[in-house]
Amino acid sequence: MWIYERKLQYPVKIKNPNPLYAKIIISQLGGPDGELAASTRYLSQRFSMPYREVSGILTDIGTEELAHVEMVSAILYQLTRNLCEEEIKKSGFDTYFVDHTAGVYPIAASGVPFDAKYIGVKGDVLADLNEDLAAEQKARVTYDNLLRLIDDRDVCEPLSFLRERELVHYQRFGDALRIAQDRMDSQNFYGWNPAFDRKPDSRK
C-alpha cells in the first residue's frame, strides 16, 4: 500500500548529544499526544469512516504521522548516541538507561510507557473527527512547550517543522469535518438523532 522513501521527511542533523532534551522530547514519541498515538488513531479510524474523501484524509495524515514517528526517533537517537556513564548519571537519563540502554522506546516524559488508551476510536464520524482536531492542537501545544525549553538550533528546527505540520493537519481535519457535515441530514448536523429523542412525556 505504501512506498517507503529512505529519507526523513525533514532532515535531523544534531551535532551535540543532550540526554536532558531526549528526556522531554520522548513524549512526542510515546506520550498521550505523541506521534505514535496519532498515526495509530487515524489509521484505525479510517476503516469505519463512511465518506471516501474523509477516509482518504485520515490515511494521508496517519501515514505522515508514521514519518513523524521516524523523525522523533531519529532526534532521540542522535541526542543519546555515544553517551558516557558520567553524562548518563549527571543528566538523570540513568533511570531510562537501566531499562532501555539508549534504545528508542515509546514512553512519555513522565515515565509512563505508551498505552492504547491514548488512541481515540469511536466509530462515529463526529466523535472521531472532533477527537482528531483536539489531538492536533494538543500535539501542537506539546511542541510549543518543547520549543520553550530547548535552545539548540539543530533540535529546534525539526521540532518547528513538526509543529507546523500539526497546524496543517488541524486544517485538513477541519476540511474533513465540513465534508462529513455536508453529507449529513441537516437535523443531524450536530449529532442529533430523532430515534434517540426523548420528549418530556415519553416516560408516561
Side-chain angles (χ1 to χ4, degrees):
M1 178 178 181
W2 293 297
I3 297 173
Y4 175 62
E5 190 173 359
R6 294 178 62 85
K7 68 176 185 177
L8 295 177
Q9 190 179 14
Y10 186 93
V12 176
K13 297 179 180 178
I14 299 170
K15 292 185 284 294
N16 300 310
N18 189 322
L20 282 171
Y21 288 164
K23 284 176 61 179
I24 56 176
I25 291 171
I26 204 163
S27 258
Q28 280 305 85
L29 175 64
D33 306 312
E35 305 292 358
L36 181 59
S39 62
T40 309
R41 179 188 305 114
Y42 306 149
L43 292 175
S44 298
Q45 287 177 352
R46 68 194 179 107
F47 289 102
S48 58
M49 192 57 61
Y51 311 119
R52 185 179 180 86
E53 301 95 323
V54 178
S55 179
I57 290 171
L58 285 163
T59 303
D60 289 346
I61 297 176
T63 302
E64 185 179 352
E65 300 288 13
L66 290 173
H68 295 173
V69 168
E70 186 179 35
M71 276 187 65
V72 173
S73 297
I75 292 169
L76 294 170
Y77 169 74
Q78 292 184 27
L79 284 172
T80 58
R81 69 183 184 275
N82 301 323
L83 294 176
C84 68
E85 291 179 10
E86 177 85 22
E87 291 171 310
I88 292 169
K89 293 176 184 175
K90 186 177 178 181
S91 66
F93 192 68
D94 50 350
T95 53
Y96 179 94
F97 183 84
V98 166
D99 290 332
H100 310 292
T101 319
V104 177
Y105 177 76
I107 195 169
S110 62
V112 179
F114 179 78
D115 196 306
K117 68 173 176 282
Y118 302 153
I119 304 164
V121 182
K122 198 69 174 176
D124 177 90
V125 176
L126 292 175
D128 281 349
L129 290 177
N130 279 286
E131 169 82 18
D132 301 342
L133 286 161
E136 293 298 325
Q137 287 299 331
K138 287 188 282 187
R140 187 268 304 164
V141 172
T142 304
Y143 281 119
D144 288 350
N145 292 339
L146 290 172
L147 290 165
R148 290 184 178 104
L149 298 173
I150 295 169
D151 59 9
D152 184 330
R153 183 175 177 180
D154 291 344
V155 181
C156 289
E157 284 187 355
L159 292 180
S160 295
F161 169 82
L162 291 166
R163 181 193 183 279
E164 289 171 7
R165 297 309 298 168
E166 305 297 349
L167 299 177
V168 173
H169 293 172
Y170 181 76
Q171 292 169 341
R172 292 204 68 198
F173 281 130
D175 295 338
L177 184 59
R178 281 189 290 276
I179 291 168
Q181 288 177 321
D182 285 345
R183 301 285 184 86
M184 292 177 178
D185 181 278
S186 60
Q187 288 187 318
N188 199 34
F189 193 75
Y190 296 108
W192 178 77
N193 189 318
F196 305 127
D197 187 36
R198 288 177 62 88
K199 294 189 171 36
D201 61 346
S202 61
R203 296 181 224 175
K204 294 180 181 178

